[in-house]
Structures are given as structure tokens and as C-alpha cells.
Amino acid sequence: MVVQINKIGFGRNVIRVVNEWSRGKDLQDYQSDALRVFTQNFRALFKKLNIMQRRAQQKLTDERLSQKIERRKKDFDALHSISARREDGVILPDEIESILESNTENESIQEIEAIKSAIQNLRRDYKLDIDMNQAIHDYTGFKVGLERIKYAGLTASQEEISEETQSEESLEEAPETVQTDDSARNGQIQVDDEQVSIEPMEVTAHSEKSTLKKPNSRN
């Protein structure tokens, strides 16, 4: 006989059993062990999902910011393909800083500081604030500096993601202590900052003799 299990129904039934066991006072050892493993796994799951969500949002934001900077740079190149005065060279960094100010809520501090640092280096190296009627010396190098501004934020973002990944790996390797608190006894499970509350739902069993198997923790 082929037995088919509905994923949603099975998952809800597992949560129902967990809630019932959490409200119980006299639990057997295998029940306590199962609750501890279940809560620990969900803690790890929510950490993973939160990190993935931040990465996706950061990647989308980075693409939008780099596109805005690229548009400003292309406009500048179209007007000053061969040379430019220092006065003209000041305008583009000012516009980029305005973009940063309008995106402070969406960008990481590390990324914003990296772009600002690249802008300051460009102004200093090519003396954009001095004798502004003079032509920018080493104009080819100046345009390379503009490219550095564009990619400074992306580089900082990638470094930040790499640090989060290393931190995540450290958390996964470190042993975790899991406790069942009063919120679990009220039919809710608290996982870090996330609270999971599942209403009990009746699931049709495939056999009257179907029971939850004891984990092999005693072995």
C-alpha cells in the first residue's frame, strides 16, 4: 500500500504535537529531548532565513545605488569626454553625495563610508577645490577614480556579507542551549525574536496505530 503524506497537514500536525507536549508537565525523557531538538532546529532555521533576506535586500539596494551612480557618471562622460575643469569635476561627487544622503535608510554605514572615502580621495588627489578654473590633470586617472567610487560601495557590501557568513558559520558550529519557557506552554514557541503560534489542527491519520516514533537519542 502506498502512503501519501500532505506536507502542510503533516507540518501542522507536528506543531500541534509540539504545543501539546510543551504544555505538559510530566514529560518523558524522549519528549523533552524531541522538544529541545525541535526548538534548536527552528532557531537555526530563522537565523538562516533572516540572513538570506538581508542579503537579498542588500543586493537589490546595491544594484539600484550603483545604477544611479553609473547614470551620473555617463552623463558626465558625455559632456566631458576628453577633458574637464576642476569646477566640473566637483559637480559629479556632489551629486553622488546627494544620492547617498537620500539612501541613508537603505544603505549600510560601512557602504556609505566607503563611497564617501573614495570621493574624498578623488577631491584630494586632483585638487578639485583649488584653482577650479584649471583643467583636471591626468584626466584618464581621474576617470579611473570615478570608477572606484562606483565600486567602493559594492566592495564594502560584499565584505559585510562575507563577515555575516563567517559569523553564521561560527553560530552553527557553536553548541546551543535550548530552554522551553512559559510561552511554549501557552501554545507559542519563541525563537530568538520570532514568535511562532500555530492553532491546533486535526490531521487525518493513515492508520489508527500511527504514532510518533521515539528518537534514537537513547541509543
Side-chain angles (χ1 to χ4, degrees):
M1 183 179 65
V2 179
V3 179
Q4 295 181 349
I5 300 178
N6 182 276
K7 295 179 181 180
I8 297 177
F10 176 77
R12 288 175 175 172
N13 193 40
V14 170
I15 297 297
R16 179 182 61 80
V17 173
V18 169
N19 287 334
E20 289 178 355
W21 287 4
S22 298
R23 288 191 293 267
K25 295 182 179 180
D26 299 326
L27 298 179
Q28 300 183 28
D29 291 342
Y30 82 89
Q31 292 175 313
S32 299
D33 292 341
L35 284 175
R36 183 164 54 252
V37 172
F38 180 85
T39 307
Q40 182 176 346
N41 289 341
F42 262 79
R43 177 183 287 114
L45 174 62
F46 277 111
K47 286 180 181 178
K48 183 70 174 180
L49 291 176
N50 289 335
I51 290 175
M52 292 174 64
Q53 184 180 25
R54 288 197 301 271
R55 287 179 183 174
Q57 182 62 41
Q58 188 66 48
K59 182 178 180 181
L60 179 61
T61 303
D62 289 342
E63 290 175 350
R64 290 175 178 173
L65 180 60
S66 64
Q67 289 172 356
K68 291 178 182 179
I69 295 176
E70 179 64 17
R71 283 198 299 269
R72 298 297 192 279
K73 191 176 73 65
K74 284 184 176 180
D75 292 341
F76 181 85
D77 290 339
L79 294 173
H80 311 282
S81 59
I82 299 176
S83 64
R85 294 181 304 167
R86 293 176 183 175
E87 181 180 4
D88 299 323
V90 168
I91 295 176
L92 181 58
D94 288 344
E95 291 179 346
I96 294 176
E97 287 183 336
S98 297
I99 294 174
L100 294 178
E101 291 177 0
S102 63
N103 287 269
T104 52
E105 294 182 357
N106 299 325
E107 309 298 333
S108 66
I109 296 177
Q110 184 176 355
E111 184 177 359
I112 291 177
E113 291 302 322
I115 297 176
K116 286 184 176 180
S117 177
I119 292 175
Q120 291 175 357
N121 292 338
L122 189 70
R123 284 174 171 159
R124 183 191 66 246
D125 294 342
Y126 294 93
K127 302 178 181 179
L128 299 181
D129 297 325
I130 303 174
D131 295 332
M132 299 180 68
N133 287 326
Q134 296 291 327
I136 297 175
H137 71 282
D138 186 15
Y139 191 62
T140 301
F142 175 78
K143 296 177 76 171
V144 172
L146 293 179
E147 287 292 329
R148 292 196 185 101
I149 292 176
K150 172 186 172 182
Y151 290 106
L154 293 175
T155 302
S157 177
Q158 291 173 356
E159 292 176 352
E160 186 175 8
I161 291 176
S162 177
E163 292 175 358
E164 286 186 353
T165 302
Q166 293 176 359
S167 176
E168 176 192 0
E169 292 175 352
S170 299
L171 288 173
E172 290 178 351
E173 293 176 358
E176 298 187 56
T177 302
V178 181
Q179 296 180 350
T180 303
D181 54 16
D182 293 335
S183 62
R185 300 183 184 279
N186 294 326
Q188 297 178 332
I189 297 177
Q190 188 74 24
V191 182
D192 288 346
D193 296 332
E194 303 288 341
Q195 190 176 68
V196 181
S197 179
I198 303 296
E199 294 293 334
M201 183 173 183
E202 186 174 329
V203 177
T204 303
H206 296 284
S207 172
E208 295 180 357
K209 297 182 180 180
S210 297
T211 58
L212 286 175
K213 294 182 180 181
K214 297 182 181 180
N216 296 327
S217 58
R218 288 174 174 254
N219 297 334

